[in-house]
Amino acid sequence: MKFAVISTDKPGGLQIRLDTRPDHVDYLKSCGVVERAGPFLNAEGEMCGSLVIIEVEDLAAAQDWAANDPYAKAGLFEDVRIEAWKQVIG
């Protein structure tokens, strides 16, 4: 099942994001469940959140994946939503 992991950074979290980015990208590439991923950008063009589309067995697996993201472990996120997602186009 596909899930959208939608995360919003804490205010002032850009440095945490930059410091943790290499570990986060390695996690995305190595876990084998990520289909699409990228940051949200604020009005200044700075990264301020994330959208990751994953395919895992169920919501519990999606929650586990999100909890093990290096960004989450570093305390970057103010909010994380996990929504079941159905791809229609693309």
Side-chain angles (χ1 to χ4, degrees), residues 10-44:
K10 291 179 180 175
L14 182 58
Q15 193 58 54
I16 295 170
R17 176 176 281 275
L18 295 173
D19 292 345
T20 313
R21 187 169 172 79
D23 291 337
H24 168 74
V25 172
D26 286 346
Y27 180 66
L28 296 181
K29 290 179 178 180
S30 68
C31 67
V33 300
V34 175
E35 294 194 354
R36 302 215 184 274
F40 293 117
L41 305 176
N42 64 18
E44 292 77 37

Side-chain angles (χ1 to χ4, degrees), residues 2-89:
K2 293 183 189 212
F3 292 89
V5 181
I6 305 158
S7 306
T8 304
D9 294 0
K10 291 179 180 175
L14 182 58
Q15 193 58 54
I16 295 170
R17 176 176 281 275
L18 295 173
D19 292 345
T20 313
R21 187 169 172 79
D23 291 337
H24 168 74
V25 172
D26 286 346
Y27 180 66
L28 296 181
K29 290 179 178 180
S30 68
C31 67
V33 300
V34 175
E35 294 194 354
R36 302 215 184 274
F40 293 117
L41 305 176
N42 64 18
E44 292 77 37
E46 298 171 333
M47 296 178 285
C48 61
S50 300
L51 170 64
V52 183
I53 305 296
I54 60 174
E55 185 157 357
V56 293
E57 186 174 325
D58 55 24
L59 178 59
Q63 291 168 329
D64 184 62
W65 181 91
N68 284 294
D69 180 345
Y71 280 166
K73 288 182 173 185
L76 174 61
F77 299 132
E78 178 176 66
D79 180 66
V80 177
R81 281 182 30 223
I82 301 173
E83 303 283 346
W85 183 73
K86 180 180 178 182
Q87 184 172 341
V88 176
I89 298 174

